[in-house]
Amino acid sequence: MAETSISESIIKHEFNKSIEKFHVIACWVGLILNIVWFISDYFVIKEYLIPFLIFRLAVSLSAAVLIFFRNSLGLNIFTCMFILILGISIQNAYMWSVMDIAHFQKHAYAYMVLFIGVAMLALWELKFSFILAAITVIANIIFYKLNSILSVEDFLINGGLITLSVIIFCIFTIRTRYRLTYNEIKFRLELEHSKKLIEQKHEELLLQKIEIQSQKDSLEEKNREITDSINYAKNIQNAFIPSEQKFNSHFNDSFVLFKPKDIVSGDFYWIHEKNGTTFYVTADCTGHGVPGGFMTMLGLSFLDEIIVGQEVQDPAKVLNLMRDKIISTLNQSGNVGQNKDGMDITVCRINKNEKKLTFSSANNDIYLIRNNSKFENGKEFIEYKANRQSCGYSDLNKLFTSESISLNEGDCIYTFTDGFADQFGGPKGKKFRYKQFEEILINNSHLRFSAQKNLLNNMNNAWRGDHEQVDDILVIGIKI
């Protein structure tokens, strides 16, 4: 089976290519603004106007030379930006050292603006941020010793400490934006690679190729507009999880109750139909929010490759292959301190002609409610147990198993994650629990599924009340 991971060197090359133009513009804007800020020097401390101007010109002109001749000098744009910002930082340290308290406080704003701008514009490796912070601190200490008439207390409380705090926030902000951008590009490249493999092996999947190309184009467009907002991650995730309308089009009556805890979700669902056989998946990844969102994207990609690309039919084999891919992609080996991320996932295959359900599940059980006059209220409740292991690395991995069920007309099948039952609320702030969840489904399985969805949603909201939603919520119901 072909490998779908992309080497780090290729990802780094695409990363640099995608954001180089933006950093070139940012460098030019920075060095020009550094000179323009000379206007403020006139109002801050006139007696040092000429030394300040010389320092500003030296920094800006040196940076301009480096940017113009960076290819000849073997420098990349990130190094040029780093040198420019470092020069401005040292320049500001010198300015601070010759000011009295009143002027020192005013210039502190300029110093903070520098690092806020760096946090918003720079995308470089963590080492650059640490070097910049270290040299900035050292430069301030040296110039303070050489020139400043202020006491250490005056220096710290009138701008020194708050500027240091801004520098620390700058480091974490750049690191977060760098990792988000890097991982998004990595995912996009892996998606492109998977698409090529599918095109080579399965010409009949032309529609899938068009969808992936559309998703690729969408990701490339969004990559050019990426900001430090986490809403961008939500846009990517929503492009891959099918709409409820698309999901419901495969069944006579069904619903999807999908309520992410955060902007992006660690729960996801997926569906694919071919030749009268429908696969649908209900999954809960490790974590929620951004970490769970990245696991979601891996899960959706693996399902496309295994079920659509390789046409694997056995749900148990799907889970076994997915587990292998998760372990390989996340480099899981069981070493102390290493992550054991994975997912609790249910894979269902329904043969509509034979009215037969075959499923395999990691940790999450399946409920079936069937009309049967022998039981109270004329309804029989059957719980099918899952394999008690996650789809991911564990010390005692066992092969997943499949189970087949013959279906009757009117059978209601429910798959779900643990978010609904684990929600805290009610008069005592306790978990909702599975027993209440089962009773709601049994007592209302005769309703249209759209009404069941509304009832479950209203019950969840009423139970939660003022409590925070503790996890992503996903409940899927279908009727045969």
Side-chain angles (χ1 to χ4, degrees):
M1 185 166 55
E3 181 62 48
T4 60
S5 60
I6 306 297
S7 69
E8 185 174 353
S9 62
I10 295 176
I11 300 172
K12 280 286 184 68
H13 174 76
E14 182 66 19
F15 180 94
N16 295 339
K17 177 182 174 183
S18 299
I19 63 176
E20 181 177 13
K21 183 177 179 181
F22 169 79
H23 280 72
V24 171
I25 295 173
C27 283
W28 284 113
V29 172
L31 65 88
I32 292 172
L33 285 177
N34 184 48
I35 298 174
V36 171
W37 268 71
F38 171 70
I39 297 172
S40 70
D41 298 339
Y42 177 81
F43 299 101
V44 175
I45 183 167
K46 295 181 181 179
E47 55 266 34
Y48 282 93
L49 197 62
I50 299 304
F52 286 4
L53 177 60
I54 294 173
F55 216 138
R56 288 184 183 278
L57 289 174
V59 170
S60 292
L61 291 176
S62 298
V65 170
L66 291 177
I67 296 171
F68 267 122
F69 300 103
R70 66 182 184 277
N71 294 329
S72 301
L73 297 173
L75 300 175
N76 59 39
I77 191 61
F78 308 106
T79 304
C80 295
M81 174 175 272
F82 170 76
I83 294 172
L84 169 63
I85 295 169
L86 180 61
I88 297 175
S89 179
I90 295 174
Q91 160 195 300
N92 285 347
Y94 165 71
M95 293 177 177
W96 258 6
S97 70
V98 299
M99 295 179 181
D100 57 23
I101 290 180
H103 295 103
F104 183 90
Q105 291 175 336
K106 294 178 182 179
H107 194 70
Y109 293 111
Y111 221 160
M112 286 186 282
V113 166
L114 169 65
F115 287 102
I116 292 172
V118 172
M120 294 175 63
L121 300 176
L123 279 177
W124 58 37
E125 295 182 3
L126 189 60
K127 63 182 180 181
F128 286 112
S129 296
F130 282 128
I131 294 172
L132 175 62
I135 296 179
T136 296
V137 173
I138 293 170
N140 274 277
I141 293 173
I142 292 173
F143 283 123
Y144 172 80
K145 291 289 187 181
L146 292 176
N147 301 322
S148 184
I149 61 173
L150 304 179
S151 67
V152 173
E153 180 181 359
D154 291 335
F155 188 89
L156 292 177
I157 67 175
N158 287 284
L161 279 178
I162 191 172
T163 303
L164 179 61
S165 300
V166 171
I167 293 173
I168 294 172
F169 288 134
C170 169
I171 292 174
F172 284 102
T173 301
I174 294 173
R175 175 62 174 172
T176 300
R177 293 178 58 241
Y178 180 91
R179 292 306 305 169
L180 284 173
T181 305
Y182 182 91
N183 287 331
E184 187 278 328
I185 291 175
K186 177 182 177 182
F187 170 73
R188 174 168 57 85
L189 292 176
E190 289 183 345
L191 182 62
E192 293 170 357
H193 186 57
S194 297
K195 179 181 71 68
K196 291 177 182 178
L197 294 177
I198 293 172
E199 288 173 347
Q200 293 169 1
K201 296 180 180 180
H202 304 281
E203 294 181 357
E204 69 273 16
L205 296 175
L206 179 60
L207 180 59
Q208 182 70 15
K209 172 185 173 182
I210 295 173
E211 291 177 356
I212 293 175
Q213 183 62 43
S214 174
Q215 293 160 2
K216 170 180 171 291
D217 293 341
S218 175
L219 287 176
E220 289 177 345
E221 177 63 23
K222 290 171 184 174
N223 179 56
R224 289 189 289 269
E225 302 169 355
I226 191 168
T227 67
D228 56 349
S229 172
I230 197 63
N231 288 310
Y232 184 64
K234 178 182 179 181
N235 293 335
I236 299 174
Q237 188 180 60
N238 286 347
F240 287 87
I241 297 178
S243 66
E244 183 178 358
Q245 181 181 6
K246 180 178 179 180
F247 183 93
N248 290 339
S249 67
H250 293 271
F251 304 101
N252 293 329
D253 198 7
S254 61
F255 74 82
V256 177
L257 178 61
F258 184 43
K259 300 178 67 174
K261 176 186 183 296
D262 300 310
I263 296 175
V264 290
S265 174
D267 286 8
F268 70 91
Y269 60 96
W270 181 90
I271 192 165
H272 172 71
E273 183 170 349
K274 184 177 180 181
N275 299 331
T277 299
T278 302
F279 281 89
Y280 73 96
V281 172
T282 309
D284 179 3
C285 299
T286 302
H288 46 73
V290 173
F294 281 124
M295 285 296 296
T296 290
M297 303 311 291
L298 287 177
L300 290 166
S301 177
F302 293 157
L303 287 169
D304 278 336
E305 181 180 350
I306 294 169
I307 297 178
V308 180
Q310 301 178 36
E311 297 187 343
V312 175
Q313 296 294 303
D314 181 12
K317 187 175 181 181
V318 171
L319 290 188
N320 290 325
L321 290 173
M322 284 196 67
R323 178 169 60 189
D324 292 342
K325 284 188 166 294
I326 290 171
I327 293 173
S328 174
T329 302
L330 300 183
N331 296 317
Q332 297 174 333
S333 60
N335 294 331
V336 176
Q338 191 177 58
N339 76 78
K340 294 185 178 181
D341 294 333
M343 58 188 70
D344 297 338
I345 179 171
T346 302
V347 178
C348 295
R349 186 190 75 213
I350 294 181
N351 187 312
K352 295 182 179 180
N353 297 325
E354 299 178 0
K355 289 188 177 181
K356 182 178 180 182
L357 166 66
T358 303
F359 74 92
S360 184
S361 184
N363 281 331
N364 291 333
D365 298 338
I366 293 181
Y367 294 165
L368 186 148
I369 299 177
R370 172 173 291 167
N371 294 326
N372 192 331
S373 59
K374 296 180 180 179
F375 291 84
E376 184 179 357
N377 297 328
K379 298 176 182 179
E380 179 183 3
F381 175 80
I382 307 173
E383 179 178 3
Y384 293 93
K385 296 294 185 179
N387 295 156
R388 293 307 177 199
Q389 59 178 343
S390 176
C391 188
Y393 183 86
S394 66
D395 296 329
L396 298 173
N397 282 342
K398 298 180 180 179
L399 290 177
F400 287 98
T401 58
S402 294
E403 184 173 352
S404 294
I405 308 168
S406 295
L407 301 174
N408 298 333
E409 192 76 27
D411 282 353
C412 297
I413 302 167
Y414 299 93
T415 56
F416 45 85
T417 61
D418 59 2
F420 195 101
D422 286 348
Q423 178 60 52
F424 288 97
K428 297 183 179 180
K430 294 185 177 181
K431 287 186 178 182
F432 191 81
R433 300 201 178 278
Y434 285 99
K435 185 63 177 178
Q436 288 193 80
F437 179 53
E438 294 168 9
E439 290 174 355
I440 293 175
L441 295 179
I442 294 170
N443 293 334
N444 297 279
S445 62
H446 61 281
L447 298 176
R448 292 282 301 176
F449 273 56
S450 58
Q452 292 186 43
K453 174 186 174 180
N454 291 334
L455 187 146
L456 287 170
N457 186 50
N458 293 337
M459 178 64 73
N460 174 256
N461 291 335
W463 179 263
R464 187 176 74 245
D466 295 331
H467 290 78
E468 180 184 0
Q469 184 172 331
V470 297
D471 199 358
D472 302 316
I473 292 174
L474 177 59
V475 182
I476 293 178
I478 67 169
K479 187 172 185 178
I480 303 303

